[in-house]
Amino acid sequence: MNGSDEFWMMNRRRLLGLATSAGLASLLPRQALSGTDLAQLDRIESAESERRLVRFPEKTGLILITDRPPQLETPLHYFRQDLTPNEAYFVRWHLSGYPTQVDTRTFRLRLDGQVANPQSFSLDALVNEFEPVTLVAMNQCSGNARSLFGPKPPGGQWQFGAMGNAQWTGVRLKDLLDRAGVKAGAVEVAISGLDESPMPGLPKIVKSLKFDHANDGDVMVAYAMNGAPLPMLNGFPLRLVVPGWYATYWIKSLAHIEVLDKPLSNIWMNQAYRIPDNPEINEEPGNLSKKTVPINRFVTHSVFVRPEPEELLLVNHPYMLEGLANDGGDGIARVEVSVDGGRTWADATLDPEIGRFSWRRWRFVWTPLDKGRYTFKVRATNRAGQGQLTTQWNRGGYARRVIEQTTGMVV
Ligand SMILES: Nc1nc2c(c(=O)[nH]1)N[C@H]1C(S)=C(S)[C@@H](COP(=O)(O)O)O[C@H]1N2
Ligand SMILES: [Mo]
């Protein structure tokens, strides 16, 4: 390799680093770094360049996890805002038979099963005949941050971007159920979308909620996201919003609601999205829990938005660490940050609450007094006293509640 090749490769890496918003690290001259730092930077830059940005319809550049079906992750820096822009909101479909267009004139949402008057709602009827409700809620894939578990569970190797916060507008599922007149003996409500399974042996996705949950007045059929129609990839024209619960229940391109007189039994409830039945949602790779339950409410968790891993910080300059914390709806009571790898902790400042089911952003201003490499940690506690864990693992890589860390280099 000659000198100019070397130069080109170095700059290519830098550009890739920029494209994935590595932050300051990609901008500083490499000469300013020691040999070990340089090796570290190389590792990170190559890890980042493997996480390629791609553009899908109605979307900005998102990190490609898989393309068929699309699984796209939101780059961290979008989480420095309360609401995640629709074009940057993560995407996950299970099956390649997902809808790419919908005729809004003929589209109908069906509601039937254990009801007195089965319904078929046009979009017009949903928008005009029911009281609109609006709420800010975070959605999060059950497997968000799965890639950080060791050993790595199978599935999409997400970092922290399989989540997003949005303001949802729509109608209460309860109001639709009332219109249909639910009969005695209703135990669950099954929900499914327009997506079809392309594989003969695999049934289409149908999920269910207990009737009382579906009818609690919070669960919503949303037709707008951040004041605009939902992007096709996020479920246009309708999706279920199940505040405080993992995304597997937030059925997209919602087309059918069925009130059931017995629990739903299918692969999507009995085999997929199950977690060990213990409060820590924990098990050993060599000793899997015999008893599992369907995944449900979000657990308490907090993440860093900045610094991003290995970001460069300047000695004697105040730096604002930022991140967000969430739980299943009780509310975040406290977020603590450690700048010394977990030896000592101090309280972060919480941004104002913008809804029970929203994430809560936090900040922590810190002035590094010495150069060197730092490990930062963050832990949250919710109002019900649920904190975070130092170790956790489960076969699905679900419901991560581990105390997270990031690193920074003070120069
Ligand atoms: N119809 C339908 N809805 C679905 C899914 C799906 O495959 N089909 N995937 C679920 C899962 S596992 C996730 S993580 C979220 C992703 O929502 P998003 O693409 O709007 O971010 O959609 C949920 N709703
Ligand atoms: Mo998911």
Side-chain angles (χ1 to χ4, degrees):
M1 183 192 285
N2 65 35
S4 79
D5 282 343
E6 218 159 29
F7 175 84
W8 168 241
M9 286 211 28
M10 189 177 96
N11 281 283
R12 203 180 71 91
R13 277 206 302 269
R14 233 183 253 174
L15 284 172
L16 287 167
L18 269 182
T20 55
S21 67
L24 213 55
S26 359
L27 294 170
L28 273 164
R30 293 171 70 95
Q31 299 86 300
L33 303 173
S34 74
T36 18
D37 292 344
L38 213 57
Q40 222 138 31
L41 197 56
D42 274 338
R43 270 202 303 282
I44 284 164
E45 285 181 348
S46 67
E48 266 165 0
S49 59
E50 280 158 27
R51 286 165 58 81
R52 200 153 59 84
L53 292 186
V54 292
R55 276 190 92 125
F56 272 66
E58 301 176 277
K59 291 283 161 182
T60 187
L62 297 177
I63 300 159
L64 180 69
I65 305 293
T66 61
D67 62 353
R68 268 208 282 169
Q71 299 194 83
L72 312 172
E73 173 165 350
T74 304
L76 262 190
H77 67 89
Y78 288 104
F79 300 152
R80 296 183 67 190
Q81 320 162 52
D82 287 334
L83 302 179
T84 313
N86 290 4
E87 60 166 15
Y89 209 92
F90 85 102
V91 172
R92 192 269 195 267
W93 289 91
H94 286 82
L95 308 168
S96 54
Y98 62 93
T100 53
Q101 55 179 39
V102 172
D103 184 342
T104 53
R105 290 160 307 179
T106 56
F107 175 87
R108 295 290 181 275
L109 170 64
R110 290 181 297 129
L111 197 178
D112 52 25
Q114 286 290 106
V115 297
N117 306 298
Q119 302 285 316
S120 176
F121 302 108
S122 66
L123 289 173
D124 225 48
L126 289 173
V127 173
N128 295 308
E129 293 175 17
F130 295 88
E131 185 193 345
V133 285
T134 287
L135 132 155
V136 174
M138 164 185 172
N139 187 19
Q140 172 175 216
C141 181
S142 313
N144 192 24
R146 174 187 285 132
S147 68
L148 302 174
F149 285 108
K152 279 189 187 182
Q157 293 303 306
W158 306 103
Q159 293 187 15
F160 294 119
M163 62 177 177
N165 211 32
Q167 184 192 55
W168 307 95
T169 303
V171 300
R172 295 181 192 92
L173 178 53
K174 178 182 185 9
D175 292 350
L176 303 184
L177 292 166
D178 285 350
R179 169 79 66 97
V182 175
K183 290 195 200 159
V187 297
E188 287 192 357
V189 175
I191 48 212
S192 58
L194 293 172
D195 45 338
E196 295 290 343
S197 169
M199 285 166 273
L202 184 65
K204 76 177 266 151
I205 300 176
V206 187
K207 299 287 295 189
S208 69
L209 296 172
K210 295 276 176 263
F211 180 78
D212 288 346
H213 183 193
N215 200 41
D216 71 358
D218 283 331
V219 175
M220 180 200 292
V221 174
Y223 48 71
M225 177 177 178
N226 297 325
L230 280 66
M232 200 74 224
L233 288 168
N234 297 109
F236 180 85
L238 300 174
R239 92 174 300 164
L240 200 70
V241 167
V242 188
W245 278 48
Y246 285 99
T248 174
Y249 300 100
W250 295 47
I251 289 295
K252 300 193 281 186
S253 62
L254 180 68
H256 187 201
I257 299 169
E258 187 183 359
V259 180
L260 304 179
D261 61 0
K262 52 179 179 305
L264 178 67
S265 176
N266 67 15
I267 171 177
W268 300 103
M269 292 301 294
N270 301 349
Q271 269 136 282
Y273 292 107
R274 296 186 71 92
I275 53 173
D277 186 20
N278 63 62
E280 283 75 36
I281 312 182
N282 190 40
E283 62 190 342
E284 303 293 326
N287 183 20
L288 300 179
S289 293
K290 304 265 171 333
K291 180 132 196 275
T292 63
V293 294
I295 194 164
N296 45 80
R297 279 178 84 185
F298 293 158
V299 295
T300 304
H301 192 224
S302 55
V303 306
F304 285 96
V305 173
R306 73 191 290 253
E308 296 204 15
E310 300 295 321
E311 196 175 311
L312 299 191
L313 281 55
L314 297 176
V315 71
N316 294 322
H317 282 65
Y319 181 91
M320 188 156 69
L321 291 90
E322 277 179 55
L324 45 95
N326 81 278
D327 78 326
D330 292 300
I332 293 297
R334 184 176 195 193
V335 172
E336 296 161 282
V337 170
S338 171
V339 297
D340 55 13
R343 279 199 308 117
T344 60
W345 296 85
D347 281 294
T349 309
L350 300 179
D351 276 13
E353 211 166 3
I354 54 171
R356 268 181 73 198
F357 301 108
S358 163
W359 65 39
R360 190 93 185 256
R361 294 173 61 217
W362 59 261
R363 298 145 199 280
F364 184 79
V365 177
W366 174 65
T367 306
L369 300 178
D370 292 300
K371 294 184 181 180
R373 190 160 179 277
Y374 287 78
T375 299
F376 308 104
K377 295 195 174 196
V378 61
R379 66 183 186 202
T381 311
N382 78 356
R383 295 205 179 102
Q386 187 184 59
Q388 293 193 233
L389 307 170
T390 46
T391 59
Q392 181 201 22
W393 186 90
N394 58 69
R395 70 195 92 167
Y398 291 146
R400 189 168 163 93
R401 200 177 134 195
V402 177
I403 296 172
E404 306 295 359
Q405 62 177 53
T406 188
T407 51
M409 243 161 345
V410 175
V411 294

